[in-house]
Amino acid sequence: MKYSYADYVPLFKAFADETRLKIVDLLTCGEMCACELLENFNITQPTLSYHMKILSDSGIVKGRRNGTWMYYSNNGEVIDNISNLLFEIRSNKDKCMSKDDGNIQCSRKCCTEAGPPNK
Amino acid sequence: MKYSYADYVPLFKAFADETRLKIVDLLTCGEMCACELLENFNITQPTLSYHMKILSDSGIVKGRRNGTWMYYSNNGEVIDNISNLLFEIRSNKDKCMSKDDGNIQCSRKCCTEAGPPNK
DNA sequence: CCGTTATATAGATAATTGTCTATGCTATTA
DNA sequence: TAATAGCATAGACAATTATCTATATAACGG
């Protein structure tokens, strides 16, 4: 695993807001201009700009200027990165990111003496 | 799509923290007790308890008590829910969640007169 | 029962976040 | 070049978050 946890935090943070989730979902239909996006929310223009900056900075969304208009679209590659992480987590295995850095074998009572039944 | 954006927000929020990401990654290796998890961080026990509550409440992690010890493991089904959403977003198509609720056709200059080239 | 161990809760606090209004910047157009 | 339209930035502010210390609760062992 080449990425660290910290690298994924901004991505999950970008998705951790109802407005931004709806923005990304709207962009699923294709590229949209900022003014069109704005019509779908009860927020002010600066607030939308704030959200678009978070989505752009994280790489989830790509921005393109055409004159005075800004067009936004989803960035599939970055979304794939998140999917890949979830896939790694989903497939229970013996090599988590942390295990690469050292031994996480537990020597406490809870893991040896009685032992966790579900292991 | 049966879920709304708001349903996913707590899930992404749960992942939007470096400590919690590491916890989930550690649990990829299998079930672990709280005390064992704690040894992997420079945080206090109440702080770990706080994080485990967020992960448990969101459904990402399952908790199981055995005497005084708490054992935690990942909940694959909930993680799959997030993966499915990302898959929907990834596959650009003509039916986003919002489109089900109404028309998002844009009648502004930016989308008609000049028109967005990349469409 | 009483002490110990593991975990959870309460309260405090500094940092971050999402929103607004006001304003600045940039590009098109008259 | 002056006015306008679209978007970004600055500053203010209330709400949320992540962390700590202190304390409570729960379960086991003697």
Coordinates of all heavy atoms in Angstrom, one line a residue, chain A residues 23 28 43 74 87 95 101 107 112:
Chain A
I23 N -23.4 17.4 -4.8 CA -22.7 18.0 -5.9 C -22.0 16.9 -6.7 O -22.2 16.8 -8.0 CB -21.6 18.9 -5.4 CG1 -22.2 20.2 -4.8 CG2 -20.6 19.3 -6.5 CD1 -21.3 21.1 -4.1
T28 N -22.4 13.2 -11.6 CA -22.5 11.9 -12.2 C -23.2 12.0 -13.6 O -22.9 11.2 -14.5 CB -23.2 11.0 -11.3 OG1 -22.6 10.9 -10.0 CG2 -23.3 9.6 -11.9
I43 N -28.1 27.5 -1.0 CA -26.9 28.1 -0.4 C -26.5 29.3 -1.2 O -26.9 29.5 -2.4 CB -25.7 27.1 -0.3 CG1 -25.4 26.6 -1.7 CG2 -26.0 26.0 0.7 CD1 -24.2 25.7 -1.7
N74 N -16.5 15.1 -12.4 CA -15.9 14.2 -11.4 C -14.6 13.7 -12.0 O -14.4 13.5 -13.2 CB -16.8 13.0 -11.1 CG -18.0 13.4 -10.2 OD1 -17.9 14.4 -9.5 ND2 -19.1 12.7 -10.3
F87 N -11.8 -1.5 -0.8 CA -11.6 -2.9 -1.2 C -10.6 -3.7 -0.3 O -10.8 -4.8 0.1 CB -11.2 -3.0 -2.7 CG -11.1 -4.4 -3.2 CD1 -12.2 -5.2 -3.5 CD2 -9.8 -5.0 -3.3 CE1 -12.0 -6.5 -3.9 CE2 -9.7 -6.3 -3.8 CZ -10.8 -7.1 -4.1
K95 N -2.5 -8.6 6.1 CA -1.5 -7.5 5.9 C -2.2 -6.2 5.8 O -2.6 -5.7 4.8 CB -0.6 -7.7 4.7 CG -1.3 -8.1 3.4 CD -0.4 -8.2 2.3 CE -1.0 -8.5 1.0 NZ -1.6 -7.4 0.3
D101 N 4.6 -1.9 9.1 CA 5.5 -1.1 9.8 C 6.1 -1.8 11.1 O 7.0 -1.3 11.7 CB 4.9 0.2 10.2 CG 4.4 1.0 9.0 OD1 4.8 0.6 7.9 OD2 3.6 1.9 9.2
S107 N 0.1 -9.4 23.3 CA 0.6 -10.4 24.3 C -0.2 -10.2 25.6 O 0.2 -10.7 26.7 CB 2.1 -10.1 24.6 OG 2.3 -8.8 25.0
T112 N -4.4 -13.8 24.8 CA -3.6 -15.1 25.0 C -4.4 -16.0 25.9 O -4.9 -17.0 25.5 CB -2.2 -14.8 25.5 OG1 -2.4 -14.0 26.7 CG2 -1.4 -14.0 24.5

